[in-house]
Amino acid sequence: MRKKVIFPQVGLPYLLLLPQLAITFVFFFLPAGQAIWFSFLRQDAFGIRTEFVGLENFVELFQDPLYLDSVWITLVFSFWVTALAMSVALGLAVLADRHIRGATAYKTLLIWPYAIAPAVAAVLWIFIFHPQIGLLGKFLNGIGVRWDYKLNGTQALITVIVASAWKQVSYNFLFFLAGLQSIPRSVLEAAAIDGASPARRFWTVVFPLLSPTTFFLLVINLTYAFFDTFGVIDALTKGGPAKATSTLIYRAYIDGRVNLDLGSSSAQSVVLMLAVIALTAVQFRFIERKVHY
Amino acid sequence: MATLTVHGVPKSFGKVAVLHGIDLSVADGEMIVIVGASGCGKSTLLRIVAGLETATEGRIVISGADVTRLEPAERDIAMVFQNYALYPHMSVFENMSYGLRIRGVPKPEIARRVQQAAEMLGLGALLQRRPRELSGGQRQRVAMGRAIVREPKLFLFDEPLSNLDAKLRVAMRAEIKRLQRRLGVTSLFVTHDQVEAMTLGDRLVVMNQGRAAQVATPMEIFARPADTYVAGFIGSPAMNFLPATLTEGGLGARIADGPVIRFADGPRPGMAGRALTLGIRPEHFALGGPLPLTPDLIEPLGSETVVHGRLPSGQEVTLRLAGMPASLGTLEIGIRAEHLHVFDGETGLRMDAQPAAALTPAWQGG
Ligand SMILES: Nc1ncnc2c1ncn2[C@@H]1O[C@H](COP(=O)(O)OP(=O)(O)OP(=O)(O)O)[C@@H](O)[C@H]1O
Ligand SMILES: [Mg+2]
């Protein structure tokens, strides 16, 4: 049973909701509606004539090998960003959980990446990965690996994956640490007395008990990798070389802002929007059902 | 099965000394109950035996083997925690079989043992449930079952009954006792409930601030408490303590602002005037005697009455009388000297009667 508040006037609740609704409307529904509308239109090269083309923008999109490449790049990119950010964070959280005394300082240090603007973070990574001035770049070239992420597509992808994952580690770390600390100590002690080695305790007790946290972070990290990594990519590789790091979000931006292909860019935005909705739906569904043990 | 010896185990957390060298020797199949006030180090002692804490010094020996440096897993013990510590993501069956699976016991053997323990504990119908789908009492029994199926050398119980309601507690207490008898597993049982301690233990360890104040059978502890702490801890309502001084010849005690009580069992050593603490249980007063008591609270319990009152010196006294006293005004009460406990006034240690012959020369010399 949900508690109901009784309002004397019918209008008051709506009035109270109005500011929130207005903001959502102006900043989300309006542009979103516009994007959906534009995705059904096509303009000529000079932006003079506009005609309604139905689903043609979408059909063209999915027949475009470059777009399909972008889809693949996005999947690879998102998979690795999520896997890297989550596994590193979990490892750090386990270490911090063991030595909780120093954890405050440790936590503070680990939070910093999250507070750094993407452009600043990118500069930092340039200082690491740049083939001539970067620490790691210079080192790799020194030992004979031909490292240049500005020329080599795979290396460019690795660079943006590492940089993007790094930014997300702090966030994941905090959630994993909170998750670890909410596991009752005595349950782990019981497992130790039952004869489980530390590794076995981790995989048979800790990890299953962390699964709600892990699932929540999985969705958050995928969403981040899909939609929130524009800044890192733009600052580091600008989607290059030869579109090797052009993820869907980056491409939508380039096609819209740079190539001024509003129809295609809008269609891409709509696809992305559907992806967000799908991810969110999955999240709500599972959180409602509680991915609990 | 197994014996357990704890050799002088102290424990400090940082600068705080929690245990001050505990010595304890447990015979095969014996059930030892560790009892004491909250914070006196009972859990710490148990956790050291389990290997969950490392002792600052000393040795733990199980069945003749020194296990002081071994991990909990290598000690072959089972522990029932106060909050049960069941694995929340596993079914009752998985909870009970976890330790066996880790040890690589064959599947049919696991099934047999779990089935047997489940039947013993009335858990047969619950094997597929998760802990959160169980009541407190059922969880407690699963925790017991998890310990039993392991067939360990040693059972450790850390206040396993304290989360249960009074009725279930009494039932589970009897159950644990019966199980322990039947399985014959050497056990340590921690509690702060004296009734639990008295009924469960073959022997009790009464702990006071990190020291074992007394290790003895329940009746011995009740009848001859080693010091005022033990005397006040065991028995309900608690024993009364009256300050007194030794009389000439050590033959009796003068209660402060009151009469002289002659010891029934013989003289105590010491000079006349030595400070004493007399201990007398509430049920060991008699009506009609030299002490005038002004009652300020009377609790009729049916077959008996508990009277709280004050002596003229201001000393508070609690007594337990059969039936109801005839008048509720000032009561004239006396002490049944054969039940008197005498403690040193400074150290609080028990002073037993000494054979008169042994004392005489000392008195003559002094
Ligand atoms: N990890 C720890 N660090 C510091 N002090 C501790 C630690 N564990 C216990 N102590 C201290 O040691 C003392 C004894 O604790 P312990 O848990 O053994 O008490 P207990 O007799 O089991 O009490 P209770 O009946 O309340 O369970 C307490 O004063 C407690 O504050
Ligand atoms: Mg305790």
Side-chain angles (χ1 to χ4, degrees):
Chain A
M1 284 287 283
R2 216 162 276 190
K3 212 169 136 187
K4 262 193 183 158
V5 181
I6 310 293
F7 286 99
Q9 286 104 10
V10 186
L12 185 60
Y14 297 101
L15 194 68
L16 293 173
L17 279 176
L18 198 61
Q20 167 88 57
L21 288 176
I23 289 173
T24 315
F25 183 77
V26 171
F27 290 100
F28 180 70
F29 284 107
L30 214 57
Q34 217 168 13
I36 293 172
W37 175 237
F38 279 140
S39 71
F40 296 121
L41 303 179
R42 174 166 303 161
Q43 286 182 317
D44 64 14
F46 306 102
I48 298 168
R49 271 192 17 226
T50 306
E51 59 173 329
F52 185 83
V53 293
L55 290 175
E56 208 170 298
N57 280 328
F58 292 94
V59 173
E60 235 168 58
L61 205 55
F62 283 102
Q63 282 170 349
D64 178 359
L66 283 179
Y67 186 75
L68 295 180
D69 273 356
S70 264
V71 171
W72 177 242
I73 289 169
T74 307
L75 291 180
V76 171
F77 174 80
S78 304
F79 172 82
W80 282 110
V81 168
T82 304
L84 202 61
M86 286 181 65
S87 52
V88 170
L90 180 57
L92 291 173
V94 167
L95 290 180
D97 188 43
R98 286 229 186 115
H99 305 282
I100 202 65
R101 204 170 311 171
T104 337
Y106 196 68
K107 266 192 285 190
T108 316
L109 287 176
L110 271 165
I111 288 311
W112 283 354
Y114 197 64
I116 290 175
V120 178
V123 170
L124 192 118
W125 287 103
I126 288 173
F127 279 122
I128 291 174
F129 281 126
H130 193 280
Q132 278 93 48
I133 58 170
L135 281 174
L136 189 67
K138 257 200 304 200
F139 171 75
L140 286 174
N141 281 313
I143 61 167
V145 182
R146 296 198 40 210
W147 174 267
D148 190 347
Y149 68 87
K150 289 193 183 299
L151 297 177
N152 182 320
T154 311
Q155 293 179 357
L157 198 55
I158 292 174
T159 305
V160 288
I161 285 171
V162 170
S164 304
W166 174 76
K167 253 191 88 55
Q168 197 61 10
V169 164
S170 357
Y171 185 87
N172 297 347
F173 168 79
L174 277 191
F175 275 86
F176 274 133
L177 186 62
L180 285 173
Q181 294 194 339
S182 71
I183 297 177
R185 182 118 275 151
S186 59
V187 170
L188 298 176
E189 289 173 347
I193 288 181
D194 264 345
S197 64
R200 182 132 190 188
R201 285 205 289 275
F202 182 81
W203 289 114
T204 58
V205 179
V206 176
F207 196 70
L209 290 181
L210 272 182
S211 63
T213 310
T214 311
F215 181 77
F216 164 79
L217 286 178
L218 188 69
V219 175
I220 294 288
N221 280 266
L222 281 176
T223 315
Y224 163 81
F226 262 58
F227 309 108
D228 234 2
T229 45
F230 173 83
V232 175
I233 295 176
D234 193 49
L236 273 173
T237 62
K238 301 234 180 297
K243 296 208 186 302
T245 52
S246 214
T247 57
L248 289 173
I249 192 85
Y250 197 79
R251 216 192 117 112
Y253 164 79
I254 294 294
D255 281 351
R257 280 304 303 271
V258 183
N259 302 340
L260 291 177
D261 185 348
L262 277 189
S264 173
S265 172
S266 298
Q268 292 180 34
S269 306
V270 171
V271 170
L272 284 174
M273 235 185 298
L274 291 177
V276 186
I277 290 169
L279 270 176
T280 316
V282 168
Q283 180 172 12
F284 277 143
R285 215 183 138 73
F286 275 89
I287 283 184
E288 238 165 53
R289 259 210 260 132
K290 294 201 182 92
V291 199
H292 285 169
Y293 11 91
Chain B
M1 290 260 162
T3 57
L4 165 75
T5 318
V6 177
H7 283 297
V9 164
K11 174 72 185 172
S12 312
F13 291 109
K15 284 207 180 74
V16 187
V18 173
L19 295 180
H20 309 274
I22 298 283
D23 283 292
L24 181 63
S25 177
V26 186
D28 182 20
E30 200 179 15
M31 179 116 171
I32 295 280
V33 173
I34 302 170
V35 63
S38 188
C40 68
K42 308 182 294 291
S43 298
T44 307
L45 176 59
L46 207 63
R47 293 165 58 81
I48 289 175
V49 173
L52 296 171
E53 307 276 357
T54 46
T56 317
E57 281 167 52
R59 288 193 309 138
I60 310 282
V61 178
I62 297 178
S63 284
D66 190 332
V67 298
T68 319
R69 300 273 156 253
L70 295 188
E71 290 291 315
E74 302 161 313
R75 298 191 181 193
D76 197 13
I77 45 170
M79 183 156 169
V80 179
F81 290 81
Q82 178 167 358
N83 61 1
Y84 315 140
L86 299 178
Y87 310 120
H89 57 299
M90 296 184 196
S91 68
V92 169
F93 180 88
E94 290 166 331
N95 260 285
M96 286 169 66
S97 60
Y98 184 73
L100 298 179
R101 280 181 282 145
I102 284 177
R103 284 176 165 73
V105 175
K107 277 222 171 81
E109 170 71 6
I110 293 182
R112 188 188 65 75
R113 283 207 218 170
V114 172
Q115 204 60 48
Q116 197 180 2
E119 260 158 44
M120 201 188 292
L121 294 164
L123 292 170
L126 307 175
L127 284 177
Q128 295 316 316
R129 298 237 196 127
R130 295 282 162 88
R132 70 186 148 94
E133 299 160 341
L134 300 176
S135 74
Q138 290 167 337
R139 283 180 211 183
Q140 203 279 337
R141 277 179 282 157
V142 175
M144 289 281 298
R146 185 170 65 179
I148 291 173
V149 295
R150 291 260 317 279
E151 299 178 4
K153 285 195 189 130
L154 205 59
F155 274 152
L156 304 176
F157 299 91
D158 193 354
E159 307 199 25
L161 303 181
S162 61
N163 287 344
L164 303 181
D165 69 50
K167 206 169 155 194
L168 198 52
R169 230 166 137 143
V170 175
M172 286 310 297
R173 193 168 76 203
E175 195 128 331
I176 288 182
K177 182 78 179 171
R178 233 173 277 136
L179 261 174
Q180 197 268 340
R181 278 281 143 76
R182 189 153 131 207
L183 302 171
V185 180
T186 314
S187 308
L188 288 185
F189 188 105
V190 164
T191 179
H192 57 242
D193 180 313
Q194 51 161 310
V195 180
E196 244 169 56
M198 297 290 283
T199 50
L200 276 178
D202 294 322
R203 281 191 299 152
L204 309 189
V205 177
V206 183
M207 284 188 55
N208 178 21
Q209 300 187 344
R211 286 190 179 79
Q214 189 169 11
V215 183
T217 63
M219 280 327 291
E220 167 90 5
I221 284 189
F222 187 80
R224 292 172 33 85
D227 61 22
T228 48
Y229 178 82
V230 177
F233 192 81
I234 300 288
S236 173
M239 185 186 276
N240 296 289
F241 294 109
L242 309 177
T245 48
L246 198 65
T247 57
E248 197 66 43
L251 294 172
R254 177 180 296 281
I255 296 176
D257 295 338
V260 172
I261 313 273
R262 216 183 134 79
F263 300 136
D265 49 355
R268 299 319 197 256
M271 305 283 280
R274 175 175 181 178
L276 300 177
T277 301
L278 298 184
I280 180 89
R281 296 200 185 274
E283 58 271 31
H284 293 154
F285 286 101
L287 278 183
L291 291 165
L293 178 84
T294 319
D296 49 24
L297 178 65
I298 296 189
E299 301 171 330
L301 300 175
S303 63
E304 58 185 32
T305 307
V306 174
V307 181
H308 303 269
R310 283 174 191 281
L311 298 180
S313 61
Q315 175 74 41
E316 280 186 47
V317 167
T318 301
L319 50 138
R320 208 154 97 186
L321 302 170
M324 192 70 187
S327 88
L328 292 181
T330 301
L331 298 172
E332 299 292 324
I333 59 168
I335 292 172
R336 286 155 64 190
E338 70 273 24
H339 293 297
L340 192 66
H341 302 268
V342 184
F343 303 101
D344 187 302
E346 271 137 37
T347 62
L349 293 177
R350 179 179 194 83
M351 289 168 67
D352 276 318
Q354 305 236 333
L359 274 176
T360 324
W363 277 107
Q364 283 169 348

